[in-house]
Amino acid sequence: MYDAVNQNSYKESIRTQRVLITGGASGIGAAITKKFILSGARVAIVDIDARAIDTKAGILSSAEIILLGDVSDPSSMDEVFGELDRCFGGIDVVINNAGISIPASLADTSLEVWNRVLSVNLTGMFLVSQRAAARMLNQEDGVIINIGSVSGMVGMPHYLSYNVSKAGVIELTKTLAIELSPTVRVNAICPGYILTPMQEKEYTQDELNNLANKIPAKRLGRPEEIASLAAYLASDSARFITGALIVIDGGETAGGLASF
Ligand code: NAD
């Protein structure tokens, strides 16, 4: 039983966890992977990028299970969970982090792009959550953390498929939180701009500087800041938190026009 007064309980509860991180080879996923490994958890990562997985060195290479897989492919996810069953005998925490962004105006959004973004960012979370929840309900405990985005909460031109996928993540989180309560906790982290390869691919350094200037915190977020929040949400200290959307954006979405 978790003892709120005992300061060691937070670390103890992470140490015993078996954790799956999707998209764990880069950016936010890699920071989350590091955080859990350093906390003593047993960590599995799955990623679609074979090259990124191959070049993983240092702390990331000490993840116990490192798999090549596509979250949007049901048979690939069956294999991943089969491996988790074999090696871990179950799963305590799933971080649904894998995601892609393909910016395009409405006119330029092909059906192929629309389907791909939704299938990775939203269908992937459904497929992973379904397989994780079956195991968590069976073992009578578990935590699912979905990486959403503030982009699922406000409109932003040229990111239709991405924004719609992230809005879907919010509803997936709330519905599963209720359906799986009280056994499995389901929460979403909604980051603002976090400096990762995804952002470095989409923006020039000048654009990133301009963005940082508009954010009340005057900087972009760091992947490690998302990792700390994920570790907290996975711990017993967060046992009363479920169905929550936690925005971590340096104040970006706090104001609106009224704040100028
Ligand atoms: P990233 O591109 O650095 O990392 C994403 C990882 O997911 C990569 O390793 C990639 O290979 C993997 N991936 C992509 N498609 C996959 C698939 N089908 N199956 C398995 N793995 C797959 O991006 P990031 O910035 O670290 O983003 C991580 C998550 O955070 C995403 O869901 C993204 O939408 C979300 N997010 C990022 C930001 C940001 O500013 N960086 C803001 C809000 C939300």
Side-chain angles (χ1 to χ4, degrees):
M1 172 64 77
Y2 172 64
D3 173 4
V5 181
N6 181 352
Q7 293 298 310
N8 290 327
S9 297
Y10 169 73
K11 266 205 127 176
E12 289 301 326
S13 66
I14 290 182
R15 193 168 300 142
T16 52
Q17 287 169 338
R18 298 159 297 179
V19 183
L20 170 67
I21 298 147
T22 70
S26 170
I28 292 171
I32 294 174
T33 300
K34 259 184 221 167
K35 179 83 184 174
F36 278 91
I37 289 175
L38 289 172
S39 306
R42 302 181 69 187
V43 174
I45 64 175
V46 58
D47 203 290
I48 201 171
D49 186 344
R51 237 179 22 178
I53 283 186
D54 278 351
T55 54
K56 280 302 145 217
I59 187 75
L60 284 191
S61 64
S62 54
E64 224 168 302
I65 306 175
I66 302 179
L67 295 168
L68 191 61
D70 180 350
V71 292
S72 69
D73 175 353
S75 56
S76 175
M77 288 306 100
D78 283 340
E79 279 172 29
V80 166
F81 277 87
E83 196 61 20
L84 290 173
D85 290 341
R86 268 190 298 281
C87 296
F88 285 177
I91 189 74
D92 302 304
V93 178
V94 164
I95 320 272
N96 273 315
N97 163 78
I100 56 172
S101 163
I102 307 178
S105 68
L106 172 61
D108 289 338
T109 301
S110 65
L111 183 58
E112 196 193 354
V113 163
W114 172 265
N115 284 339
R116 186 63 192 150
V117 173
L118 281 159
S119 72
V120 175
N121 294 6
L122 187 54
T123 307
M125 282 200 189
F126 154 67
L127 294 173
V128 170
S129 300
Q130 193 177 48
R131 284 155 183 73
R135 287 154 176 87
M136 290 170 177
L137 289 172
N138 202 33
Q139 74 198 19
E140 299 183 345
D141 201 14
V143 177
I144 297 174
I145 298 170
N146 300 323
I147 307 297
S149 172
V150 292
S151 300
M153 307 167 97
V154 296
M156 189 185 189
H158 300 138
Y159 283 87
L160 183 66
S161 57
Y162 184 80
N163 296 350
V164 169
S165 73
K166 292 299 184 180
V169 169
I170 290 174
E171 191 49 41
L172 181 126
T173 301
K174 289 184 175 181
T175 299
L176 293 190
I178 294 166
E179 190 169 324
L180 303 176
S181 250
T183 311
V184 181
R185 293 189 296 110
V186 187
N187 292 295
I189 295 176
C190 297
Y193 289 99
I194 310 297
L195 192 57
T196 68
M198 181 185 269
Q199 300 295 19
E200 284 162 340
K201 211 167 59 190
E202 280 174 35
Y203 299 97
T204 64
Q205 191 54 53
D206 274 353
E207 286 170 334
L208 289 173
N209 291 343
N210 282 340
L211 279 171
N213 216 22
K214 287 186 193 160
I215 296 169
K218 297 290 170 212
R219 66 172 175 87
L220 271 61
R222 292 186 272 273
E224 294 72 24
E225 291 172 310
I226 308 300
S228 294
L229 181 53
Y232 169 72
L233 286 174
S235 77
D236 279 349
S237 297
R239 276 204 96 81
F240 200 52
I241 304 179
T242 194
L245 314 173
I246 302 179
V247 170
I248 170 164
D249 70 350
E252 179 196 337
T253 54
L257 272 186
S259 68
F260 288 99

